[in-house]
Amino acid sequence: MKYKKTVCAAAVALMSHAAWADSYLQQSLSEWPTMQSAVQQNGVSLYGAVDMGLNFQSVGGNARWQTQSGGVHTSQFGVFGREDLGGGLKAEFNLENSFTANNGAFGTSNTLFDRAAWVGLNSARWGALRFGLQPTANLPQFIDPFGEVTTNSVVTWLAGGAVQTARGVGYNADLGPGSSQVLVRESNAVSWTTPRVMGFGATFMYAFTNQAGVSPNASNQGVVASWTNGTLYLAGAYNRVWSPEVQTAAGLQTVRNDIYGVSAIYDVGSYVLSAAFSQVAPKLEGNGIARSYLLGATVPWGRHAVRASVVYRDTSGVHDAAGDPAKDSALGVMLGYDYSLSKRTSLYARAGFIRNYGISTVILNSNPLPLQTGSASPELGTTPMTASVGIYHLF
């Protein structure tokens, strides 16, 4: 499975709020490739990022060195366009691709634009309406000091519930059949983002399954609402996510997952603090519930910045392979350092781990856990670790 993040509508809200003129997040987001294109007034522009580094991974006595693309920013290129239609109305589109810089391969096989492929209308009075592949209505990625990147982020893997099983890796797979998570982005989606009034704003999304004979007709229904006064940023999200058909005691069926989240960011420029809580609750008798707690901090000075995040994931109502109630929790820590060579080029270092307790089998940075002897099931109680150094350039 692949876990990727992109800038959400909340980032645009922060960028447009004048009180953020002295904030670290406002300055940082203004340098992101997606944001550099999104703030333009008219025309078409190409943007992107190339991120490469060296990575060390270790789990269960197995260790390896490898090249790694996307240690801070997913290596990507995109095209953003905007046309002024008059009367405050603008047409917009965005096409965005991810790739691995170490070999040039597509981030998603046989898919040219796997990060964004949408077209829409934007009005200062009525908000923004978009159709196509786009970010979901969920908590903003910048609650994680590491931006919930595919690689060096325990938020991506632990809070996302990337659990290894005998059948592979699945979102919150330890909770039972049909358990899922809010995807980073949704295909076949329609969204509306309201104008921001007195600091308040919201995004509503409906994503179609586009599959005949499948009920319900939606794969995701979500809303995220936020408020900011410049220093403080608060957000809350609620999503209904339906799984593909899975085998249950009642036969083949889709499973609805109710996913809640709240977050807060406090940014005074000289430091940024963040906190978040989320819960995944599959609506199937016998399934468990997962809760995740996040604390994050970033301290910048001059060309330097240090970052840290701590994530704890706990569950209730889960069972082991024998069907007995079991402990299932994990703790993740990630530390980082950045040195800016310019506004567009930086060096970075990252190091972190996830400590699995009980029957927890969360992975980190796509590194599979060792298997139990003579079994396809992963070992329990493992601690995957990672460390990276690299460089990225934004254009």
Side-chain angles (χ1 to χ4, degrees), residues 219-309:
S219 60
N220 177 288
Q221 295 174 343
V223 57
V224 56
S226 62
W227 172 85
T228 179
N229 67 357
T231 300
L232 183 63
Y233 183 89
L234 305 176
Y238 169 61
N239 281 261
R240 288 182 175 180
V241 177
W242 282 268
S243 73
E245 288 188 329
V246 294
Q247 187 65 48
T248 69
L252 283 176
Q253 67 178 97
T254 60
V255 177
R256 192 184 98 189
N257 291 253
D258 286 359
I259 303 173
Y260 312 83
V262 292
S263 64
I265 301 172
Y266 184 68
D267 182 353
V268 295
S270 57
Y271 62 89
V272 182
L273 303 177
S274 59
F277 166 80
S278 64
Q279 175 177 283
V280 179
K283 297 301 180 180
L284 182 66
E285 185 177 356
N287 278 22
I289 294 175
R291 302 176 183 87
S292 298
Y293 308 83
L294 160 70
L295 293 175
T298 302
V299 180
W301 73 98
R303 294 177 177 267
H304 312 270
V306 294
R307 308 171 188 273
S309 65

Side-chain angles (χ1 to χ4, degrees), residues 176-187:
S179 301
S180 188
Q181 183 56 275
V182 182
L183 294 178
V184 175
R185 52 187 58 80
E186 281 281 5
S187 301

Side-chain angles (χ1 to χ4, degrees), residues 219 357 372:
S219 60
Y357 301 99
Q372 299 177 25

Side-chain angles (χ1 to χ4, degrees), residues 61-85:
N62 299 324
R64 63 175 178 174
W65 283 93
Q66 62 182 10
T67 58
Q68 182 183 71
S69 176
V72 173
H73 293 275
T74 299
S75 294
Q76 62 187 264
F77 67 83
V79 180
F80 183 92
R82 176 177 286 155
E83 179 188 12
D84 192 337
L85 302 176

Side-chain angles (χ1 to χ4, degrees), residues 94 102 139 201 258 276 296 308 322 347 365:
N94 190 197
N102 45 329
L139 298 178
D258 286 359
L347 306 174
N365 280 17

Side-chain angles (χ1 to χ4, degrees), residues 187-221:
S187 301
N188 311 309
V190 180
S191 73
W192 173 53
T193 299
T194 69
R196 189 160 290 268
V197 179
M198 299 180 64
F200 291 92
T203 296
F204 302 84
M205 171 174 282
Y206 188 101
F208 295 82
T209 61
N210 272 23
Q211 295 181 19
V214 175
S215 180
N217 198 38
S219 60
N220 177 288
Q221 295 174 343

Side-chain angles (χ1 to χ4, degrees), residues 27-52:
Q27 178 184 353
S28 177
L29 288 170
S30 69
E31 297 164 3
W32 285 25
T34 306
M35 291 306 303
Q36 290 202 37
S37 63
V39 296
Q40 68 168 353
Q41 294 302 309
N42 206 22
V44 177
S45 66
L46 175 70
Y47 65 90
V50 182
D51 184 319
M52 270 298 298

